[in-house]
Amino acid sequence: MDKNHFDVIVLGGGPAGLTAGIYLGRSKAKTLILDTGMPGGQMVLTYKIANYPGVENISGYQLSSVMKKQAISFGCIIKSNIKLAALRLEGKQKEVELENGDVFSAPAVILATGGRSRMLNVPGEKEFKGRGISYCATCDGDFFQDKEIIVVGGGNSALEEAVALTKYAAKVTILHEFDHFQAFEHAVEEAKGNPKIDYIMEAHITEFQGDESLRSIKYKNLKTGKTDQKAIDGVFIFIGYQANTQALHGGPVELNQWNEIVTNENLQTNLEGVFAAGDCRAKHYRQITTAVSDGTIAALNALNFIQK
Ligand SMILES: Cc1cc2nc3c(=O)[nH]c(=O)nc-3n(C[C@H](O)[C@H](O)[C@H](O)COP(=O)(O)OP(=O)(O)OC[C@H]3O[C@@H](n4cnc5c(N)ncnc54)[C@H](O)[C@@H]3O)c2cc1C
């Protein structure tokens, strides 16, 4: 049998892809997981995970390692740091071609390529990501009990998450580049009615500073051009989200206006035999638990599909 032919190919080895691998491998489906980075996905960026049921305060790296080990123990083959050359997803046998010339085929593919928060791209942001800078209030809010934090952004997510963060933080300052918000009126009103929320309008963060952890930001007033510094315990950035679907742009898989993969409730895309799971698909809540759930559903439906 062709060693490059599989029952299912999973693109992406985050929690969605690894869970799909666990279910597929355990059902004896010959499964290949391909990842452009390291398996674990965004979990690896997470210093501490406190909301994954059944484990208390595990690091993202540890949780990734256990999931990866589990997938391998059921026979999945995982290839990391691959470079995609072409995806051929129409037709009965789907093909994934890599830049090194390898071509893998399977009758079913699960797209689990995840996503990433938009970054400000200013000095110090990469360094303090996970050490004071967060992109997820649900994930990290409770690490900032009675602390002073900044929320960057002026859309619905920024305002809603700022209000949610007042449950933990002593003070939340919303820092936004314009003199008005681009959020729904009710979100603006709720934020404005919250006594713990303060504002820095028409400003940009220009640098994050600290030692082991974030300690302060430098920001520029866009009206006066003046630069200021502010001591701070944490910064939450909500300036948008991007699904990792660049490889699908202009292709046959249906994407919505935000380039997220459109699926039905079985997590099937518009192409037969092509499923999508986790943060790369169009959905509202993006968490490890929801990715794991998606991975399960996509794997079971892919198994059904190949058995038929
Ligand atoms: C800083 C941070 C903290 C977080 N904290 C928590 C938390 O505490 N609790 C919680 O529940 N959630 C948390 N989240 C959210 C959670 O990590 C994500 O919702 C979850 O990881 C999504 O899983 P996924 O498998 O869909 O995608 P991802 O985790 O994004 O994994 C996708 C994988 O696909 C790979 N990939 C990308 N493109 C391709 C391609 N073309 N081909 C092959 N592979 C590709 C990537 O390298 C990656 O490994 C956090 C997120 C961040 C950024």
Side-chain angles (χ1 to χ4, degrees), residues 63-106:
L63 188 57
S64 306
S65 305
V66 181
M67 285 189 194
K68 181 181 160 194
K69 213 168 127 199
Q70 231 175 329
I72 291 172
S73 75
F74 290 124
C76 285
I77 295 175
I78 302 180
K79 289 185 187 289
S80 312
N81 296 315
I82 57 119
K83 290 197 166 47
L84 276 184
L87 278 179
R88 292 181 280 276
L89 299 175
E90 288 167 300
K92 279 206 155 58
Q93 293 302 328
K94 328 292 178 197
E95 286 187 341
V96 181
E97 186 177 334
L98 306 189
E99 279 186 10
N100 67 5
D102 286 347
V103 179
F104 301 102
S105 59

Coordinates of all heavy atoms in Angstrom, one line a residue, residues 63-106:
L63 N -0.5 20.5 28.4 CA -1.7 19.9 27.8 C -1.5 19.5 26.3 O -1.9 18.5 25.9 CB -2.9 21.0 27.9 CG -4.3 20.5 27.5 CD1 -4.7 19.3 28.4 CD2 -5.3 21.6 27.7
S64 N -0.8 20.3 25.6 CA -0.4 20.0 24.2 C 0.3 18.7 24.1 O 0.1 17.8 23.3 CB 0.5 21.0 23.5 OG 0.0 22.3 23.6
S65 N 1.3 18.5 25.0 CA 2.2 17.3 25.0 C 1.4 16.1 25.3 O 1.6 15.1 24.6 CB 3.3 17.4 26.1 OG 4.0 18.6 25.9
V66 N 0.4 16.2 26.2 CA -0.4 15.0 26.5 C -1.3 14.7 25.3 O -1.4 13.5 24.9 CB -1.3 15.3 27.8 CG1 -2.1 14.0 28.1 CG2 -0.4 15.6 29.0
M67 N -1.9 15.7 24.7 CA -2.8 15.4 23.6 C -2.0 14.8 22.4 O -2.5 13.9 21.8 CB -3.5 16.7 23.1 CG -4.6 17.2 24.0 SD -5.4 18.6 23.1 CE -6.4 19.2 24.5
K68 N -0.8 15.3 22.2 CA 0.0 14.8 21.1 C 0.4 13.4 21.4 O 0.3 12.5 20.5 CB 1.3 15.7 21.0 CG 2.2 15.3 19.9 CD 3.4 16.2 19.9 CE 4.6 15.6 19.1 NZ 5.8 16.2 19.3
K69 N 0.8 13.1 22.6 CA 1.2 11.7 23.0 C 0.1 10.8 22.7 O 0.2 9.7 22.2 CB 1.6 11.7 24.4 CG 2.7 10.8 24.8 CD 3.2 11.0 26.2 CE 3.2 9.7 27.0 NZ 3.3 9.9 28.4
Q70 N -1.1 11.2 23.2 CA -2.3 10.4 23.0 C -2.6 10.1 21.5 O -2.9 8.9 21.2 CB -3.5 11.2 23.6 CG -4.4 10.4 24.6 CD -5.4 11.3 25.2 OE1 -5.2 12.5 25.3 NE2 -6.5 10.7 25.5
A71 N -2.5 11.1 20.7 CA -2.8 10.9 19.3 C -1.7 9.9 18.7 O -2.1 9.0 17.9 CB -2.7 12.2 18.5
I72 N -0.5 10.1 19.1 CA 0.6 9.2 18.5 C 0.3 7.7 19.0 O 0.5 6.8 18.3 CB 2.0 9.7 18.9 CG1 2.3 11.0 18.1 CG2 3.1 8.6 18.6 CD1 3.5 11.7 18.6
S73 N -0.1 7.6 20.3 CA -0.3 6.3 20.9 C -1.4 5.5 20.1 O -1.4 4.3 20.1 CB -0.6 6.4 22.4 OG -1.9 6.8 22.5
F74 N -2.3 6.3 19.5 CA -3.3 5.6 18.7 C -2.9 5.4 17.2 O -3.8 5.1 16.4 CB -4.7 6.3 18.8 CG -5.3 6.2 20.2 CD1 -5.6 7.3 20.9 CD2 -5.5 5.0 20.8 CE1 -6.2 7.2 22.2 CE2 -6.1 4.9 22.0 CZ -6.4 6.0 22.8
G75 N -1.7 5.7 16.9 CA -1.2 5.4 15.6 C -1.1 6.6 14.6 O -0.8 6.4 13.5
C76 N -1.5 7.8 15.1 CA -1.4 8.9 14.1 C 0.0 9.2 13.8 O 0.9 9.2 14.7 CB -1.9 10.2 14.8 SG -3.7 10.2 15.0
I77 N 0.2 9.6 12.6 CA 1.6 10.1 12.2 C 1.5 11.7 12.2 O 0.5 12.2 11.6 CB 1.9 9.6 10.8 CG1 2.1 8.1 10.9 CG2 3.2 10.3 10.3 CD1 2.4 7.4 9.6
I78 N 2.4 12.3 12.9 CA 2.4 13.8 12.9 C 3.6 14.3 12.3 O 4.7 13.9 12.6 CB 2.3 14.3 14.4 CG1 1.0 13.7 15.1 CG2 2.3 15.8 14.5 CD1 0.9 14.1 16.5
K79 N 3.4 15.2 11.3 CA 4.6 15.9 10.7 C 4.5 17.4 11.0 O 3.5 18.1 10.7 CB 4.6 15.7 9.2 CG 4.9 14.3 8.8 CD 5.1 14.1 7.3 CE 5.2 12.7 6.9 NZ 6.5 12.1 7.2
S80 N 5.6 17.9 11.7 CA 5.6 19.3 12.1 C 6.4 20.2 11.1 O 7.2 19.6 10.3 CB 6.3 19.5 13.4 OG 5.7 18.6 14.3
N81 N 6.2 21.5 11.2 CA 7.0 22.5 10.4 C 6.9 22.2 8.9 O 7.9 22.3 8.2 CB 8.4 22.5 10.9 CG 8.5 23.0 12.3 OD1 7.8 24.0 12.6 ND2 9.2 22.3 13.1
I82 N 5.8 21.7 8.4 CA 5.7 21.4 7.0 C 5.5 22.7 6.2 O 5.0 23.7 6.8 CB 4.5 20.4 6.7 CG1 3.2 21.0 7.2 CG2 4.8 19.1 7.3 CD1 2.2 21.3 6.2
K83 N 5.8 22.7 5.0 CA 5.5 23.9 4.1 C 4.6 23.4 3.0 O 5.0 22.6 2.2 CB 6.8 24.4 3.5 CG 7.7 25.1 4.6 CD 8.8 26.0 3.9 CE 9.4 26.9 4.9 NZ 9.9 26.2 6.2
L84 N 3.4 24.0 3.0 CA 2.4 23.5 2.0 C 2.7 24.1 0.6 O 3.1 25.3 0.5 CB 1.0 24.1 2.4 CG 0.1 23.4 3.4 CD1 -1.2 24.1 3.5 CD2 -0.1 22.0 2.9
A85 N 2.6 23.3 -0.4 CA 2.8 23.8 -1.8 C 1.4 23.9 -2.5 O 1.1 24.9 -3.1 CB 3.7 22.9 -2.6
A86 N 0.6 22.9 -2.3 CA -0.7 22.9 -3.0 C -1.7 22.0 -2.2 O -1.3 21.0 -1.6 CB -0.6 22.4 -4.4
L87 N -3.0 22.4 -2.3 CA -4.1 21.6 -1.7 C -5.0 21.3 -2.9 O -5.5 22.2 -3.6 CB -4.8 22.5 -0.7 CG -4.3 22.6 0.7 CD1 -5.2 23.5 1.5 CD2 -4.2 21.3 1.4
R88 N -5.3 20.0 -3.1 CA -6.3 19.7 -4.1 C -7.4 18.9 -3.4 O -7.2 17.7 -3.0 CB -5.6 18.8 -5.2 CG -4.6 19.6 -6.0 CD -3.9 18.8 -7.1 NE -2.9 18.0 -6.6 CZ -1.6 18.4 -6.5 NH1 -1.2 19.6 -6.7 NH2 -0.7 17.5 -6.0
L89 N -8.5 19.6 -3.1 CA -9.5 19.1 -2.3 C -10.8 18.7 -3.0 O -11.7 18.2 -2.4 CB -9.9 20.2 -1.2 CG -8.7 20.6 -0.3 CD1 -9.1 21.7 0.7 CD2 -8.2 19.4 0.5
E90 N -10.8 18.9 -4.3 CA -12.0 18.5 -5.1 C -11.7 17.0 -5.5 O -10.6 16.6 -5.5 CB -12.2 19.4 -6.3 CG -12.8 20.8 -5.8 CD -12.8 21.8 -6.9 OE1 -11.7 22.1 -7.4 OE2 -13.8 22.3 -7.2
G91 N -12.8 16.4 -5.9 CA -12.5 15.0 -6.4 C -12.5 14.0 -5.2 O -12.5 14.4 -4.1
K92 N -12.5 12.7 -5.6 CA -12.6 11.6 -4.6 C -11.4 11.5 -3.7 O -11.5 11.3 -2.5 CB -12.9 10.3 -5.3 CG -14.4 10.2 -5.6 CD -14.7 8.7 -5.7 CE -16.2 8.4 -5.5 NZ -17.2 8.9 -6.2
Q93 N -10.2 11.6 -4.3 CA -9.0 11.5 -3.5 C -8.4 12.9 -3.4 O -8.1 13.6 -4.4 CB -7.9 10.6 -4.2 CG -8.3 9.1 -4.2 CD -8.6 8.6 -2.8 OE1 -7.9 9.0 -1.8 NE2 -9.5 7.6 -2.7
K94 N -8.4 13.4 -2.1 CA -7.8 14.8 -1.9 C -6.3 14.7 -1.8 O -5.8 13.6 -1.3 CB -8.3 15.3 -0.6 CG -9.7 14.9 -0.1 CD -10.8 15.5 -1.0 CE -12.2 15.0 -0.6 NZ -13.1 15.2 -1.6
E95 N -5.6 15.7 -2.2 CA -4.1 15.6 -2.2 C -3.6 16.9 -1.5 O -4.0 18.0 -1.7 CB -3.6 15.6 -3.6 CG -3.8 14.2 -4.2 CD -3.1 14.0 -5.6 OE1 -2.7 15.1 -6.2 OE2 -2.8 12.9 -6.0
V96 N -2.5 16.6 -0.7 CA -1.8 17.7 -0.1 C -0.4 17.6 -0.5 O 0.3 16.6 -0.3 CB -1.9 17.6 1.5 CG1 -1.1 18.8 2.1 CG2 -3.3 17.6 2.0
E97 N 0.1 18.6 -1.2 CA 1.5 18.6 -1.7 C 2.4 19.5 -0.9 O 2.0 20.7 -0.6 CB 1.5 19.0 -3.2 CG 2.8 18.9 -3.8 CD 2.8 19.2 -5.3 OE1 1.7 19.1 -5.9 OE2 3.8 19.7 -5.8
L98 N 3.5 19.1 -0.5 CA 4.5 19.9 0.3 C 5.6 20.5 -0.6 O 5.8 19.9 -1.7 CB 5.1 19.1 1.4 CG 4.1 18.4 2.4 CD1 4.9 17.8 3.6 CD2 3.0 19.3 2.9
E99 N 6.2 21.5 -0.1 CA 7.3 22.1 -0.9 C 8.4 21.2 -1.2 O 9.2 21.3 -2.2 CB 7.8 23.4 -0.2 CG 6.9 24.6 -0.5 CD 7.4 25.9 0.1 OE1 8.6 25.9 0.5 OE2 6.6 26.9 0.1
N100 N 8.6 20.2 -0.3 CA 9.7 19.2 -0.5 C 9.4 18.2 -1.5 O 10.1 17.2 -1.8 CB 10.2 18.6 0.8 CG 9.1 17.7 1.4 OD1 8.0 17.5 0.8 ND2 9.3 17.1 2.6
G101 N 8.2 18.3 -2.1 CA 7.8 17.3 -3.2 C 6.9 16.2 -2.7 O 6.3 15.5 -3.6
D102 N 6.8 16.0 -1.4 CA 5.9 14.9 -0.9 C 4.5 15.2 -1.3 O 4.0 16.4 -1.1 CB 6.0 14.8 0.6 CG 7.3 14.2 1.1 OD1 8.0 13.6 0.2 OD2 7.7 14.3 2.3
V103 N 3.8 14.2 -1.7 CA 2.3 14.3 -1.9 C 1.6 13.3 -1.1 O 1.9 12.1 -1.2 CB 2.0 14.1 -3.4 CG1 0.5 14.3 -3.7 CG2 2.7 15.1 -4.3
F104 N 0.6 13.7 -0.3 CA -0.1 12.8 0.6 C -1.6 12.8 0.1 O -2.1 13.9 -0.3 CB -0.1 13.3 2.0 CG 1.3 13.3 2.6 CD1 1.9 14.5 2.7 CD2 1.9 12.2 2.9 CE1 3.2 14.6 3.2 CE2 3.2 12.2 3.4 CZ 3.9 13.4 3.6
S105 N -2.2 11.7 0.1 CA -3.6 11.6 -0.4 C -4.5 10.9 0.6 O -4.0 10.1 1.4 CB -3.7 10.9 -1.8 OG -3.2 9.6 -1.6
A106 N -5.8 11.2 0.5 CA -6.8 10.6 1.4 C -8.2 10.9 0.9 O -8.4 12.0 0.2 CB -6.7 11.1 2.8

